[in-house]
Amino acid sequence: MNGKITREQWERFLESLAADGSLLQASFSAPRSKDGTLSRKLSVRPVKLKNGLHYQFERLLDNKAYHENVGPEELKERLATAMQSYKQALIKTSDEDIQVLANKKGELALMSRASGGKRESEPQTHNRSKRYILPEGVPVPYLVSLGVMTEDGKVLKAKYDKFRQINRFLEMIADVVPDLPQGKPLTIVDFGCGKSYLTFALYHDLAIQRKLPVRIIGLDLKRDVIETCAKLAEKLGWDNLTFSVGDISDYDGRDSVDMVVTLHACDTATDAALLKAVGWDASVILSVPCCQHELFRQISQPALEPLLKHGILKERFAALVTDAARANLLELAGYRTQLLEFIDLEHTPKNLLIRAVKTGKPDREALSAEYERFRDFLSISPYMERNSRLMSPKS
């Protein structure tokens, strides 16, 4: 079943899920309400309880997870209610993955694809292992080529952290897909793409899985790395994934970009990438900063001397101040900005991701006053503010 469906077809589909017990996982995202009453994401999975099969609904509100277990007889109604509150869902069964999209009128469209092999449909116990967007045991060609998976889909032990990082990245991508422009080819630039694990993951998710018209450009200074990535893209037949050698601040290869990704660009290279994104009026920005040195040399505040006199504390504090300044300047430029945990701190100290979505004109007066107090208290002059009129609180 692919394409638009009627309400009757949707209800019959939900009835079959509840009747045959084939549901392995359902994820609802892109809430219709922006008032904070809905969780950013709703997840559903089967669980074994003492009194039999149930389905656990997990909601995330204010960074806290809330769980509710319901019986099979309630499943159809609860899934139907959930779809009324969200714009999209991904439903995984033992045979297929079904993506459900809802438009503003509430009309539904289904896109189905085979799961790549019969999956185990036995529900997990209450304390189960985490399910990933890219499941273990199902070979993904680009992950095999990049040495993350074996030919039979087993994740290599040495690459398991990278596998988790890729899946975390894809969860964040799923949240912003509704914020990308609709009905037009998308252009995405990945600054400092490196070995491009996440660049390939992004293309696979958007172009291959979601069938979106997208062109992705990876940019990095290392010519040998870029050549390797280009060869892999050619091997995979991904014509709209290209790679170029170049510097972030000098790049002017596009007039319009819909999404900018910059992961682990060092120090002010992150700021340069963010300024490029704002200059393009990009709809979505995803950035994982690295090596924030600039403000370490600037911060001065006598009241904080008990903290600043210790080098390691000052370094950590300066990194937080840098990302706070970036987030606030992006808000001044008209973006809804969040700072999120990208990967567990135990795996990397560079674990903050800045996610910014273009919303329009901000309340500049209130934001400017708040930012200026923060900036002046610490005697800092951030790169982004110095190098762009768009970022100036006075503009």
Side-chain angles (χ1 to χ4, degrees):
M1 186 189 308
N2 284 282
K4 288 186 178 180
I5 61 169
T6 65
R7 284 288 168 185
E8 291 75 16
Q9 288 174 312
W10 172 240
E11 288 183 6
R12 286 200 299 271
F13 170 69
L14 295 181
E15 283 176 359
S16 68
L17 285 182
D20 62 19
S22 60
L23 177 66
L24 295 182
Q25 183 184 29
S27 299
F28 296 84
S29 58
R32 291 182 175 277
S33 173
K34 301 294 185 181
D35 61 7
T37 57
L38 284 174
S39 63
R40 179 172 53 83
K41 188 176 180 181
L42 169 65
S43 300
V44 185
R45 66 181 178 94
V47 293
K48 279 182 178 178
L49 301 180
K50 290 183 178 179
N51 56 344
L53 173 65
H54 280 67
Y55 293 88
Q56 184 177 91
F57 284 67
E58 179 184 86
R59 292 175 173 81
L60 296 174
L61 287 170
D62 299 325
N63 294 322
K64 292 183 180 179
Y66 297 88
H67 299 99
E68 181 183 7
N69 297 323
V70 304
E73 68 281 357
E74 298 181 60
L75 181 62
K76 174 194 168 183
E77 183 178 345
R78 296 297 294 272
L79 291 176
T81 301
M83 198 64 227
Q84 292 171 5
S85 301
Y86 293 86
K87 298 177 184 177
Q88 64 180 24
L90 179 62
I91 297 174
K92 296 186 177 185
T93 73
S94 52
D95 296 309
E96 60 184 340
D97 294 343
I98 303 102
Q99 186 176 19
V100 188
L101 300 175
N103 62 20
K104 292 181 179 179
K105 297 179 181 179
E107 298 171 331
L108 300 178
L110 263 63
M111 290 180 286
S112 172
R113 58 185 174 84
S115 66
K118 189 75 175 178
R119 291 174 175 152
E120 177 58 57
S121 58
E122 181 72 15
Q124 301 293 314
T125 57
H126 206 65
N127 297 319
R128 69 178 182 97
S129 59
K130 179 176 175 62
R131 286 192 182 277
Y132 294 111
I133 291 178
L134 296 176
E136 299 180 64
V138 179
V140 181
Y142 78 89
L143 291 180
V144 174
S145 296
L146 289 169
V148 176
M149 278 184 170
T150 62
E151 293 285 348
D152 59 357
K154 182 180 179 180
V155 178
L156 297 175
K157 186 176 180 180
K159 292 292 185 178
Y160 204 85
D161 286 348
K162 180 61 67 176
F163 178 71
R164 293 177 67 253
Q165 183 190 61
I166 290 169
N167 275 282
R168 174 63 173 151
F169 180 65
L170 292 177
E171 289 175 0
M172 293 181 168
I173 293 298
D175 290 338
V176 298
V177 167
D179 297 300
L180 292 170
Q182 306 295 314
K184 66 180 280 289
L186 301 172
T187 299
I188 299 173
V189 174
D190 184 351
F191 283 124
C193 60
K195 294 182 179 179
S196 300
Y197 291 97
L198 301 183
T199 321
F200 282 100
L202 181 60
Y203 188 88
H204 179 262
D205 183 74
L206 296 181
I208 308 303
Q209 301 290 83
R210 299 179 188 270
K211 308 297 183 185
L212 295 177
V214 62
R215 177 177 181 80
I216 299 181
I217 302 153
L219 188 76
D220 201 275
L221 289 171
K222 299 177 181 177
R223 184 172 297 277
D224 57 335
V225 171
I226 287 297
E227 289 175 352
T228 299
C229 293
K231 288 178 181 177
L232 177 53
E234 182 179 2
K235 173 185 173 183
L236 293 167
W238 293 357
D239 297 334
N240 287 324
L241 175 60
T242 59
F243 295 89
S244 299
V245 177
D247 182 76
I248 293 173
S249 57
D250 297 333
Y251 181 75
D252 58 2
R254 308 294 303 182
D255 296 324
S256 175
V257 173
D258 301 295
M259 178 175 173
V260 170
V261 177
T262 169
L263 306 177
H264 300 130
C266 192
D267 201 17
T268 56
T270 289
D271 300 287
L274 295 177
L275 289 181
K276 285 284 186 182
V278 173
W280 280 320
D281 204 29
S283 297
V284 174
I285 305 170
L286 297 176
S287 174
V288 178
C290 181
C291 308
Q292 299 98 321
H293 299 308
E294 183 199 24
L295 298 190
F296 178 86
R297 298 184 288 269
Q298 296 182 20
I299 290 176
S300 176
Q301 173 47 249
L304 296 178
E305 187 56 27
L307 182 153
L308 298 177
K309 70 181 180 181
H310 300 286
I312 188 170
L313 296 182
K314 183 179 179 182
E315 181 181 2
R316 294 178 183 178
F317 181 68
L320 295 174
V321 169
T322 301
D323 289 336
R326 288 165 172 160
N328 281 270
L329 289 168
L330 286 170
E331 289 177 349
L332 279 166
Y335 286 84
R336 182 180 74 250
T337 307
Q338 298 171 289
L339 291 175
L340 306 169
E341 184 180 70
F342 180 43
I343 197 75
D344 291 346
L345 190 60
E346 64 185 277
H347 299 295
T348 172
K350 312 300 180 183
N351 74 326
L352 287 184
L353 180 139
I354 300 173
R355 182 169 69 191
V357 174
K358 188 71 176 181
T359 58
K361 292 185 178 180
D363 181 354
R364 289 192 61 86
E365 185 176 348
L367 289 171
S368 295
E370 181 181 77
Y371 168 73
E372 287 174 353
R373 287 194 300 270
F374 172 76
R375 177 198 63 193
D376 297 343
F377 176 74
L378 295 171
S379 302
I380 58 175
S381 176
Y383 178 102
M384 287 173 64
E385 183 182 350
R386 297 197 313 271
N387 287 275
S388 174
R389 182 183 61 81
L390 292 171
M391 295 292 180
S392 173
K394 302 297 185 183
S395 64

